[in-house]
Amino acid sequence: MDATQPTPTDQAVLWNGRAGRAWIDAQATLDRMFAPFEDLLADTVRATSARRVLDVGCGTGGTTLAAARVAGAQGDCLGVDISEPMVAVARKRAAGEGSTARFIAADVQAHAFEAASFDLVISRFGVMFFDDPVAAFANLRRASSTHARLRAIAWRSAAENPYMTAAERAAAPLLPNLPVRAPGAPGQFAFADRHRVASILQESGWGEIDIQPIDVNCTYPEKELVGYFTRLGAVGQVLEDTDEATRRQVTDTLRTAFDPFVHGDEVRFTAACWMIAATATAPPAPASAS
Ligand SMILES: C[S@@+](CC[C@H](N)C(=O)[O-])C[C@H]1O[C@@H](n2cnc3c(N)ncnc32)[C@H](O)[C@@H]1O
């Protein structure tokens, strides 16, 4: 490896590899499942009349495209994501619908955004994967104009989200190499502790911090359920390396485990999340020399 290049983090490897591929393959299902969150963020763009919008960890771009639709012709909506393949899909989607949304592949923790260039920073599940969350949110603060708003959606605890943990719980006896979640480590539930999130934002220079629980009803077609749990999350990643017989056994076991969430031809669950709000009140800290 070129010694002048930064070493990719585990998250960069993951999202440029298996996790990124899984989200691309399941993009339509995920966008349907998480449409209510897209609506919440689009409502925020509408309510704040923001035109310069940054979408953090934008993935395949669904929420950036939604923001750009609301911001209209005068809007300048930028999606940023560490995953090159996901950004490539986002750009293709933007071109497909003639959107003005732009996308860059970059690490939010380190990217040199133009200072004070955004009036609103949004994210749907894209802020829990930082190795150094203070560096990331301080960088976002520098990229924000004074009085800019931050509105980010993150998961509450695993215990409050039985649908999101059903696959791991059911598969654990069959897949002994399933990775164990470490509390607070980068990952889906890293922001479960609202006090930790508040102190990260405070340390990063954000003010008027307000973190509220939201319980959001999500639905998608039952026929997409097996494709969802065999691709996504830790189970999806481990299944890639599993023999066909185990794979079949895990799929059958998991399908039964998801029965409580199946209602006729629909999957329904409640997503227990935080709506994280903050304002760029104080002047941003100067960027460090390193
Ligand atoms: C759970 S996905 C959410 C994607 C998208 N926001 C959505 O709702 O469809 C998390 C996203 O965060 C991105 N991500 C993780 N670490 C990042 C970082 N340091 N900088 C930028 N993006 C990052 C991943 O590549 C991934 O696309």
Side-chain angles (χ1 to χ4, degrees), residues 130-265:
F130 305 128
D131 298 306
D132 186 345
V134 172
F137 280 98
N139 202 23
L140 294 172
R141 172 63 191 87
R142 280 189 291 277
S144 302
S145 58
T146 306
H147 307 307
R149 319 289 175 91
L150 167 74
R151 296 287 184 276
I153 296 160
W155 295 98
R156 302 210 304 273
S157 66
E160 290 168 281
N161 281 290
Y163 167 85
M164 277 294 153
T165 48
E168 278 171 53
R169 266 198 319 278
L174 304 169
L175 299 173
N177 50 345
L178 213 51
V180 178
R181 295 179 193 276
Q188 184 177 13
F189 297 111
F191 276 17
D193 178 353
R194 91 203 286 179
H195 302 294
R196 174 169 180 258
V197 179
S199 73
I200 288 169
L201 290 174
Q202 211 164 13
E203 225 187 301
S204 314
W206 289 89
E208 296 174 1
I209 297 160
D210 183 34
I211 302 170
Q212 294 297 331
I214 53 171
D215 293 293
V216 176
N217 294 326
C218 299
T219 60
Y220 65 97
E222 186 277 336
K223 61 179 190 290
E224 296 173 21
L225 172 59
V226 171
Y228 162 78
F229 69 65
T230 52
R231 282 195 188 110
L232 273 294
V235 171
Q237 284 163 39
V238 171
L239 275 186
E240 272 200 30
D241 298 327
T242 305
D243 63 86
E244 194 44 45
T246 310
R247 195 183 162 81
R248 210 168 312 121
Q249 192 189 5
V250 170
T251 303
D252 291 347
T253 305
L254 263 58
R255 179 60 192 82
T256 305
F258 274 96
D259 272 349
F261 303 100
V262 176
H263 303 271
D265 59 2

Side-chain angles (χ1 to χ4, degrees), residues 23-146:
W23 273 68
I24 289 169
D25 290 348
Q27 178 244 308
T29 301
L30 290 164
D31 276 343
R32 248 191 299 278
M33 188 187 302
F34 295 142
F37 297 102
E38 179 184 307
D39 294 344
L40 281 174
L41 293 174
D43 287 347
T44 302
V45 178
R46 208 170 285 114
T48 56
S49 305
R51 290 295 170 264
R52 301 179 303 166
V53 181
L54 177 63
D55 186 6
V56 177
C58 64
T60 55
T63 47
T64 326
L65 295 171
R69 283 193 288 272
V70 175
Q74 304 305 313
D76 184 13
C77 299
L78 178 69
V80 57
D81 200 283
I82 204 165
S83 168
E84 302 259 4
M86 293 174 86
V87 164
V89 171
R91 287 188 179 128
K92 210 165 160 188
R93 292 177 76 186
E97 66 173 79
S99 172
T100 55
R102 299 180 293 124
F103 295 93
I104 52 168
D107 184 340
V108 165
Q109 297 166 110
H111 182 69
F113 295 104
E114 188 185 334
S117 56
F118 298 102
D119 308 314
L120 176 64
V121 177
I122 60 170
S123 183
R124 181 179 72 179
F125 306 133
V127 294
M128 302 89 75
F129 303 92
F130 305 128
D131 298 306
D132 186 345
V134 172
F137 280 98
N139 202 23
L140 294 172
R141 172 63 191 87
R142 280 189 291 277
S144 302
S145 58
T146 306

